[in-house]
Amino acid sequence: MKPIIETLLDCDFYKFTMQQFIYSYYPTTDVTFALTNRTSEVRLADMIDIGELSEQLTHVRTLKLNDTELRYLRGLDIYGKRMFSEAYLQFLNTLRLPAFALWQEDGQFVLQFHGSWKEVTLWETFALSIINELYYQSLMKSFTPFAKDCIIAQGRLNLRNKILKLKPHNISFIDFGTRRRFSREWQDYVVEVLKDALSYYGFRGTSNTYLAMKHSISPEGTNAHELQMAVAAIAGSDSEIRASQQRVFEQWYELYGFGLSIALTDTFGSDFFFATVPHEMIETWKGLRQDSGDPFQFGWKALNYYRGKDINPEDKLIIFSDGLNVDTIIDLHNRFNPSIHTSFGWGTNLTNDMGFRTLSLVIKLVSANGKPAVKLSDNLAKAIGPPDEIARYKKIFKYTSEFNQKCEV
Amino acid sequence: MKPIIETLLDCDFYKFTMQQFIYSYYPTTDVTFALTNRTSEVRLADMIDIGELSEQLTHVRTLKLNDTELRYLRGLDIYGKRMFSEAYLQFLNTLRLPAFALWQEDGQFVLQFHGSWKEVTLWETFALSIINELYYQSLMKSFTPFAKDCIIAQGRLNLRNKILKLKPHNISFIDFGTRRRFSREWQDYVVEVLKDALSYYGFRGTSNTYLAMKHSISPEGTNAHELQMAVAAIAGSDSEIRASQQRVFEQWYELYGFGLSIALTDTFGSDFFFATVPHEMIETWKGLRQDSGDPFQFGWKALNYYRGKDINPEDKLIIFSDGLNVDTIIDLHNRFNPSIHTSFGWGTNLTNDMGFRTLSLVIKLVSANGKPAVKLSDNLAKAIGPPDEIARYKKIFKYTSEFNQKCEV
C-alpha cells in the first residue's frame, strides 16, 4: 500500500487551531464524528475496497509529528504572537489518532470516530482526503496510462484558465482544497503553481499545513462549525444552547485574539448571528466567513449590518468558502470590493477540477457527550442532526429561512 | 549540452532504404543538400544560438551504430526478404557523417552538406529534428515550469482528440513526424500512445527507425524526391533527364521488389508520371505516394488512371503524406475507400500539435555532381531549383499546372 497521508501536517490548519481550543476549554468532552455522502447516488462502497480504505486509515494512526514538524508549529507566529502553547504542542507530540469504526451498508460506508474530542477532531480531513483519493483511483482503475495523463493534462489547462482569469483582478484567495482534492500529489502541484504564478496577484496561502511548510507560504484557516455545534450540544437548556454560540466566540478571541477573529456565522443561521452579535464583537473582530446560502445576499446583509451599526465595512473582511468557482469568485470580488474586503477559501473546484464529477462528502460532528449535535446553516441541504433536534434548534435560533439547494461539492 | 540525436537510428527509415539504393547504383555521385526555411518570416538565426546548433550537429558526427542497432537492421525482413545487404550494412557500420557548413545570413541559417551522396543523404532528418527542437526550446526559454507543463498538456489533449476521431474509422496511418517533431521525447510519447490506443485500429508504424525498434512496431517508408532529382541532374540532355525518372523506378524495384514499390509521382509533376508510366509498372507496383497538390484531385486522377488501364484500383494503394490533419485524413479515407486502399503518412500535425505555430523547414538536394537539382512537385510553392532550371524542367516534363499554395508545414 502506498500511503495517501504521510504526515499529520497533511491536514487543514484549522484542525490544529481548533484542537488547541478544544484542548484548552473542552478537554473532557467526548464526541462522535461520522461520514455522510451527500452525493448518495454514488455507491462509494461498491467502488472503494473497504480493506484498502481501512488500511489507509490505519496508517494514519501510526503517524506522529517529527521534530521539524513540531518546530514548525512552535515557530508559527503569523499574527504577531506564538499561536500554539507548549502544553498543547506536547499533547500533540504524543498524540496517536484514536480508533475508527468502519463498515458498509447499502453501498455506502459507515465511518465513525468516537472518543475524546481533542483527539478525534483531527480525523476529519485525513479521512476525507483518503476517501476522495481512493474514489478517483477507482474511477481510473481501467484507464490506460495515456488516459490518466489526459486527466492531468485537463487539470493543468483548467488550472491555467483559472490563473489567466484571476491574475488581472488581483483577488485574495486561499487554497481550501485538502479534503476534496483529486490527490495529494495534485494539490501539491496546484499549490506550487499558484505560488509561482499568483503570489503577487492575490494567492495568500493554503489551509494545508504540510504544503504551507513545504512551499513556505502561509497556513490559513480559523475554525469550523464543530466548535459551536459541540458546545451547543453539551449546553443543556434551550437558553443555554442559544447563549453557547457567543461563548465560543469569546473563548476563541481569548485564545487567538484579533489574528483569527473571523466569525463563522451560519452554524445556526446567519440571521440569528446578525440579530444577536454584540456590538463590541462585530466592531473588534476582523470579519466573517460565509459558508452556505446565497453569498451575494450574505454580502449585502453584512454590508448593511456594518453600516447600520456605524462600523466602516471597508475595514472588515468576508471570507467566502462555499462551493466556489472562478467566475463566482470574480463576481463576488467585483461586487463587494472595495466596500468591504473579500477573500476566498477555494476548495473542491481548485484542487479537483479534472473533468470528473465531484463528490459532496463530509465528516461532521454528530454528538457531544452523548447529545445530538446540530447544524442548521444557511442552506437546509447542509443541515445536520436528527429531524426533531433540527426542529428544536430552528425554534431556539428563530430560524425561518427556506433556502435549500443541493450541494455539488 | 544534452544531445537531441542520440543514435543514428533516430532518423527516417527511408533514409536507409535510399542510402542502400545510392550505395548500390550511384556510389560515386557527389551532392549538396541545403536548408530552406519556407517560413521565412521566422528569423531562425535570431532565435537559435548558432553555437548550440553547431554543437548538436557535431554530436551527430560522433555517432556510430551499436551492435544491437546493426543487428536490428540486418534482421529486417518486413516484406518477406532481407532488406539490407551485408555490403551496405558494413558500409553503414563504418560511416561517420560528413562535415557540414553553417553560418548565418539575414536572420537565417545557411546550412549545407556537401560530399558523397551515399554519406550526405543521412543528414536530412537529423538536422531538421535538431533545428525544430532547438526552435521550440527557444520559444519556451522564458516559460515557467507550469507554462511548459501546459504545452505538454495541450499536446496530450490534442492527441486524445485525434485518437477519438480516428478510432471508429479504423484508418491505416503511419507516423511520419520525425523531422518536424516538437521534441524527440514527445514523438516517443506519441508513438507509444498510438501503439497502445490504435494498434488494432489502423496505426501501422513509424518512419522513425529508432522508435520502431524501441516500441517493436513497423519501421515505415520507401523513398523521397532526392533520388529522382539527383539522377535527373546528372543525366545530361533533356531527353536523358526525361527518361531518368523511369530508370530510378526500375532500379528501385530491382532492389526492393514489390514490398517498397510505392511510386512518388510528383517530383516532376504527377501529370508527366501518369502520361508516361509504363503499363507494366503501374500494374505491378503496389501504389502511389501523394506529396503535393490537391490530394482529392490526385485520388480521382489515380482512380481514373487505373480504371482507364483496366487495372482494379481496389488492389492498389495511395499513401497521402502532404500536410495532413485528422479531418483531412478522415475525409480522404471516406472518399476513396474501398475504391482504392489509402494510408496516411502523418507528419507535423501528429508530432507537433502543441499550440505553437509550426515551421516549414526542408533540407533538400540542391546539386548533384555540380549540376543543379530540380523538383517541380504538384505545388509550385514546393518547387526547388534555380528559376531557369525550373523553367527548363517544366518544358522537359510538359508541366502546365498552376497550383501554388503556401506550405504551412
Side-chain angles (χ1 to χ4, degrees):
Chain A
M1 180 206 63
K2 191 170 170 283
I4 290 169
I5 304 297
E6 288 189 333
T7 156
L8 288 180
L9 289 197
D10 185 12
C11 83
D12 274 349
F13 182 63
Y14 79 178
K15 299 271 40 169
F16 296 115
T17 55
M18 287 196 287
Q19 191 180 37
Q20 175 170 258
F21 176 93
I22 299 160
Y23 173 85
S24 306
Y25 295 103
Y26 302 93
T28 61
T29 304
D30 282 329
V31 296
T32 301
F33 276 72
L35 170 70
T36 301
N37 177 10
R38 296 193 291 218
T39 317
S40 52
E41 62 276 24
V42 173
R43 293 170 61 86
L44 273 184
D46 294 348
M47 304 191 61
I48 297 172
D49 180 72
I50 193 169
E52 209 178 336
L53 172 54
S54 177
E55 218 179 341
Q56 289 285 355
L57 293 167
T58 301
H59 178 76
V60 181
R61 298 191 63 208
T62 68
L63 296 173
K64 67 183 289 287
L65 293 181
N66 69 27
D67 286 354
T68 295
E69 292 167 339
L70 193 70
R71 286 165 183 157
Y72 174 76
L73 291 179
R74 187 182 288 118
L76 285 175
D77 63 344
I78 305 176
Y79 298 105
K81 63 171 206 160
R82 295 193 176 188
M83 300 185 76
F84 298 113
S85 72
E86 205 50 37
Y88 165 64
L89 290 173
Q90 287 317 315
F91 159 74
L92 184 60
N93 197 28
T94 57
L95 175 69
R96 295 294 176 282
L97 261 66
F100 57 89
L102 172 65
W103 68 93
Q104 49 195 37
E105 228 172 73
D106 293 335
Q108 299 296 343
F109 291 120
V110 178
L111 176 59
Q112 295 179 347
F113 306 94
H114 179 73
S116 175
W117 188 16
K118 64 183 182 293
E119 298 177 354
V120 166
T121 188
L122 270 200
W123 263 119
E124 179 189 9
T125 68
F126 295 130
L128 289 170
S129 298
I130 287 170
I131 297 170
N132 268 292
E133 187 156 345
L134 290 179
Y135 172 69
Y136 291 101
Q137 282 179 13
S138 87
L139 285 184
M140 299 191 300
K141 210 176 291 174
S142 63
F143 278 28
T144 62
F146 177 59
K148 287 180 188 168
D149 284 352
C150 285
I151 293 297
I152 299 298
Q154 189 64 60
R156 285 179 175 158
L157 296 187
N158 291 348
L159 177 59
R160 180 176 59 176
N161 186 45
K162 292 179 175 76
I163 291 170
L164 292 175
K165 281 188 169 181
L166 284 175
K167 198 165 176 175
H169 296 283
N170 208 335
I171 293 176
S172 167
F173 74 99
I174 306 156
D175 159 36
F176 269 20
T178 299
R179 67 188 62 200
R180 304 233 178 84
R181 64 195 183 193
F182 172 70
S183 70
R184 182 186 63 192
E185 192 184 8
W186 181 249
Q187 187 188 18
D188 194 337
Y189 181 84
V190 168
V191 166
E192 184 171 16
V193 166
L194 290 175
K195 183 192 172 187
D196 289 347
L198 295 180
S199 271
Y200 298 104
Y201 301 89
F203 178 57
R204 275 188 44 202
T206 173
S207 65
N208 187 295
T209 318
Y210 164 71
L211 293 177
M213 179 170 101
K214 176 174 176 183
H215 296 292
S216 188
I217 57 179
S218 179
E220 294 278 341
T222 54
N223 60 48
H225 303 100
E226 67 176 278
L227 300 188
Q228 299 176 36
M229 290 166 72
V231 175
I234 63 179
S237 72
D238 287 6
S239 68
E240 284 167 321
I241 289 177
R242 197 179 301 115
S244 68
Q245 186 179 47
Q246 193 51 39
R247 185 156 68 255
V248 172
F249 288 139
E250 281 160 19
Q251 289 167 335
W252 186 261
Y253 198 89
E254 185 176 67
L255 194 57
Y256 294 111
F258 179 74
L260 297 187
S261 64
I262 300 292
L264 183 59
T265 63
D266 68 337
T267 312
F268 307 118
S270 295
D271 289 341
F272 175 81
F273 173 84
F274 285 116
T276 59
V277 60
H279 186 269
E280 199 217 323
M281 172 178 162
I282 204 82
E283 202 168 25
T284 318
W285 281 46
K286 193 187 280 189
L288 315 167
R289 179 155 76 93
Q290 190 274 341
D291 199 45
S292 59
D294 183 314
F296 294 92
Q297 277 190 17
F298 181 92
W300 294 121
K301 211 176 274 185
L303 271 183
N304 287 335
Y305 183 86
Y306 283 123
R307 286 172 180 154
K309 301 285 180 191
D310 245 6
I311 297 165
N312 185 358
E314 289 177 30
D315 301 333
K316 298 297 180 185
L317 169 69
I318 302 175
I319 297 177
F320 295 94
S321 65
D322 182 28
L324 298 166
N325 62 47
V326 68
D327 296 319
T328 316
I329 287 173
I330 293 169
D331 240 23
L332 286 165
H333 172 85
N334 289 341
R335 203 74 71 90
F336 293 111
N337 274 285
S339 308
I340 188 165
H341 293 286
T342 58
S343 190
F344 299 88
W346 196 359
T348 317
N349 177 257
L350 181 62
T351 59
N352 199 347
D353 185 16
M354 322 300 283
F356 288 122
R357 76 174 292 173
T358 49
L359 298 174
S360 185
L361 290 181
V362 291
I363 288 176
K364 283 289 178 190
L365 186 75
V366 291
S367 69
N369 287 347
K371 293 181 186 162
V374 173
K375 176 175 92 160
L376 297 176
S377 105
D378 291 333
N379 175 6
L380 288 170
K382 283 184 152 186
I384 289 169
D388 56 331
E389 286 294 315
I390 289 180
R392 179 183 168 215
Y393 272 65
K394 277 183 170 179
K395 266 187 219 155
I396 294 173
F397 290 102
K398 301 192 172 65
Y399 188 97
T400 55
S401 161
E402 301 279 333
F403 190 92
N404 192 325
Q405 197 166 70
K406 183 166 166 49
C407 301
E408 298 296 334
V409 294
Chain B
M1 180 207 60
K2 192 171 169 282
I4 291 170
I5 304 296
E6 288 191 332
T7 155
L8 288 181
L9 290 197
D10 186 11
C11 84
D12 275 347
F13 182 63
Y14 78 177
K15 299 272 39 170
F16 296 115
T17 54
M18 287 196 286
Q19 191 179 36
Q20 175 170 256
F21 176 93
I22 299 159
Y23 173 84
S24 306
Y25 295 102
Y26 302 93
T28 60
T29 304
D30 282 330
V31 295
T32 302
F33 277 73
L35 171 71
T36 302
N37 177 10
R38 295 192 293 218
T39 318
S40 52
E41 63 275 26
V42 174
R43 294 170 60 88
L44 274 184
D46 293 348
M47 304 192 61
I48 298 171
D49 180 72
I50 194 169
E52 209 177 338
L53 172 54
S54 178
E55 218 178 341
Q56 289 284 357
L57 294 167
T58 301
H59 178 76
V60 180
R61 297 191 65 208
T62 68
L63 296 173
K64 67 183 289 287
L65 294 181
N66 69 25
D67 286 352
T68 296
E69 293 167 339
L70 193 70
R71 286 165 184 155
Y72 174 75
L73 291 179
R74 186 183 288 120
L76 286 175
D77 61 345
I78 306 176
Y79 298 105
K81 63 170 206 163
R82 295 193 176 187
M83 300 186 76
F84 297 114
S85 72
E86 205 49 39
Y88 165 65
L89 289 172
Q90 287 317 317
F91 159 75
L92 184 59
N93 196 30
T94 56
L95 175 70
R96 294 295 177 283
L97 261 66
F100 57 89
L102 170 67
W103 67 94
Q104 49 195 39
E105 225 172 75
D106 293 334
Q108 300 295 344
F109 291 119
V110 178
L111 176 58
Q112 295 179 346
F113 306 95
H114 179 72
S116 175
W117 189 14
K118 63 180 184 293
E119 298 178 354
V120 167
T121 187
L122 271 199
W123 263 119
E124 180 189 9
T125 68
F126 295 130
L128 288 170
S129 297
I130 287 170
I131 297 169
N132 267 292
E133 189 156 344
L134 290 178
Y135 172 69
Y136 291 101
Q137 282 177 13
S138 87
L139 284 185
M140 299 191 300
K141 210 177 291 173
S142 63
F143 278 28
T144 62
F146 177 59
K148 286 180 189 169
D149 285 352
C150 285
I151 293 296
I152 299 298
Q154 191 63 61
R156 285 180 173 155
L157 297 186
N158 291 349
L159 178 58
R160 179 175 62 176
N161 185 45
K162 292 180 176 75
I163 291 170
L164 292 175
K165 281 188 171 180
L166 283 176
K167 197 165 177 176
H169 296 282
N170 208 336
I171 293 175
S172 167
F173 74 99
I174 306 156
D175 159 37
F176 269 19
T178 298
R179 69 188 61 199
R180 304 231 180 87
R181 65 195 183 194
F182 173 70
S183 70
R184 183 187 61 191
E185 193 183 10
W186 180 249
Q187 186 188 18
D188 195 338
Y189 181 83
V190 168
V191 166
E192 185 171 15
V193 166
L194 290 176
K195 183 192 171 186
D196 289 347
L198 295 180
S199 272
Y200 299 105
Y201 301 90
F203 179 56
R204 276 187 45 203
T206 173
S207 65
N208 187 295
T209 319
Y210 164 71
L211 293 178
M213 180 171 102
K214 176 174 176 184
H215 296 292
S216 188
I217 58 179
S218 180
E220 294 277 341
T222 53
N223 60 51
H225 303 99
E226 67 177 279
L227 301 188
Q228 298 175 38
M229 291 166 72
V231 175
I234 63 178
S237 72
D238 287 6
S239 67
E240 283 167 322
I241 289 177
R242 195 179 304 114
S244 68
Q245 185 180 46
Q246 193 51 39
R247 185 158 69 254
V248 171
F249 288 139
E250 281 160 20
Q251 288 167 335
W252 186 261
Y253 198 88
E254 184 176 68
L255 194 57
Y256 294 111
F258 179 73
L260 296 187
S261 63
I262 301 291
L264 183 59
T265 63
D266 68 337
T267 313
F268 306 118
S270 295
D271 289 341
F272 174 81
F273 173 83
F274 285 117
T276 59
V277 58
H279 185 269
E280 198 217 322
M281 172 180 162
I282 204 85
E283 202 169 25
T284 317
W285 280 47
K286 192 189 279 189
L288 314 167
R289 178 153 78 93
Q290 190 274 343
D291 199 45
S292 60
D294 183 314
F296 294 92
Q297 275 189 19
F298 181 90
W300 295 122
K301 211 177 271 187
L303 271 182
N304 287 334
Y305 184 85
Y306 282 122
R307 286 172 179 153
K309 299 287 179 188
D310 244 7
I311 297 166
N312 185 358
E314 290 178 29
D315 301 332
K316 298 298 179 186
L317 169 68
I318 302 175
I319 297 177
F320 294 95
S321 64
D322 181 29
L324 298 167
N325 62 47
V326 67
D327 296 319
T328 316
I329 287 174
I330 293 171
D331 241 23
L332 287 166
H333 171 84
N334 290 340
R335 204 73 72 89
F336 292 111
N337 275 284
S339 309
I340 190 165
H341 293 286
T342 58
S343 191
F344 298 88
W346 196 358
T348 317
N349 176 257
L350 181 64
T351 59
N352 199 347
D353 186 15
M354 322 299 284
F356 288 122
R357 77 174 292 174
T358 50
L359 299 174
S360 185
L361 291 182
V362 290
I363 288 177
K364 284 289 180 191
L365 186 76
V366 291
S367 69
N369 287 348
K371 293 179 187 165
V374 172
K375 176 173 91 160
L376 298 175
S377 104
D378 291 334
N379 176 6
L380 288 170
K382 284 182 151 186
I384 288 169
D388 55 332
E389 287 293 315
I390 289 179
R392 179 183 168 215
Y393 271 65
K394 277 184 171 178
K395 266 188 217 152
I396 294 173
F397 291 100
K398 302 191 170 65
Y399 188 98
T400 55
S401 161
E402 301 279 334
F403 191 92
N404 193 324
Q405 198 166 69
K406 183 166 165 52
C407 300
E408 297 297 332
V409 294

